[in-house]
Amino acid sequence: RVYRTEAAKYRALADEVLALRATERPILVGTRSISASERIAQELQHRGVDCQVLNAVRHSDEATIIAGAGRAGRVTISTNMAGRGTDIKIDRKVAAAGGLHVIVSEPHESKRVDRQLMGRAARQGDPGSTVRFASFEDEVFLRFLPAIVQRALSALQLGRFAFLCAQRRAS
């Protein structure tokens, strides 16, 4: 899902979390930076959503927080580098609800990093789902697509194409 502004993207992301939270599915939101993880956490907390934030600052707690990310109704926000190497296990109740839902909050320069994050859902035959959010104000667009191309793609509402072009140029 591609939005014109970062603010619109974060509002839509929070709406998605609120809608899914009602189903008791656990949600893992992956971010590119500590500041993005804190901004998303603020938006969610402002809407009354309790969430765990894992942003590679609290190293000693990482494994415990990420291991608990599969619990029913849990919302975990994590930078791409945090919690690596720790499995997220889900129970029968979570599996019946649809499994872990992973949200990529901003495209990374490397498609591989995005795929690794999305791969946290539906592991080892478990159910799960993923969605990617992007805005034309995200770093990958600003750094790797010329301004004229950004404006044209935005005007034509070709966000997915822009997303793929920016990642290709970054690689």
Side-chain angles (χ1 to χ4, degrees):
R1 300 176 190 162
V2 181
Y3 299 86
R4 289 182 193 261
T5 66
E6 193 173 64
K9 174 185 72 171
Y10 285 137
R11 281 192 303 273
L13 190 151
D15 291 343
E16 170 109 354
V17 169
L18 285 171
L20 280 170
R21 199 164 152 255
T23 68
E24 284 293 303
R25 288 181 67 188
I27 302 161
L28 175 64
V29 181
T31 68
R32 285 178 38 118
S33 67
I34 293 170
S35 62
S37 67
E38 291 170 350
R39 184 170 175 190
I40 292 168
Q42 268 185 328
E43 177 73 27
L44 291 173
Q45 289 165 351
H46 178 71
R47 293 182 184 213
V49 176
D50 184 37
C51 54
Q52 297 285 322
V53 180
L54 181 61
N55 55 22
V57 173
R58 297 166 43 199
H59 299 291
S60 61
D61 299 334
E62 284 185 13
T64 304
I65 292 170
I66 207 68
R71 292 189 186 135
R74 176 74 54 98
V75 177
T76 306
I77 302 167
S78 173
T79 57
N80 291 336
M81 297 305 290
R84 292 182 130 186
T86 304
D87 280 339
I88 300 174
K89 301 201 183 304
I90 63 172
D91 62 23
R92 196 172 294 158
K93 177 182 176 183
V94 169
L100 179 67
H101 183 68
V102 174
I103 298 174
V104 178
S105 69
E106 180 179 352
H108 195 276
E109 289 97 0
S110 168
K111 288 185 270 187
R112 178 187 56 79
V113 173
D114 287 350
R115 285 192 308 266
Q116 284 178 332
L117 176 59
M118 291 185 296
R120 300 289 260 172
R123 281 191 115 108
Q124 301 173 0
D126 287 333
S129 57
T130 65
V131 64
R132 291 187 286 186
F133 283 80
S135 84
F136 284 102
E137 294 178 345
D138 289 342
E139 185 178 342
V140 71
F141 292 121
L142 298 175
R143 283 185 56 208
F144 298 105
L145 287 180
I148 193 161
V149 173
Q150 292 174 32
R151 285 191 299 275
L153 293 172
S154 177
L156 295 171
Q157 296 183 348
L158 295 173
R160 180 159 162 57
F161 178 73
F163 170 77
L164 296 172
C165 285
Q167 279 188 324
R168 244 183 252 122
R169 287 187 61 126
S171 297

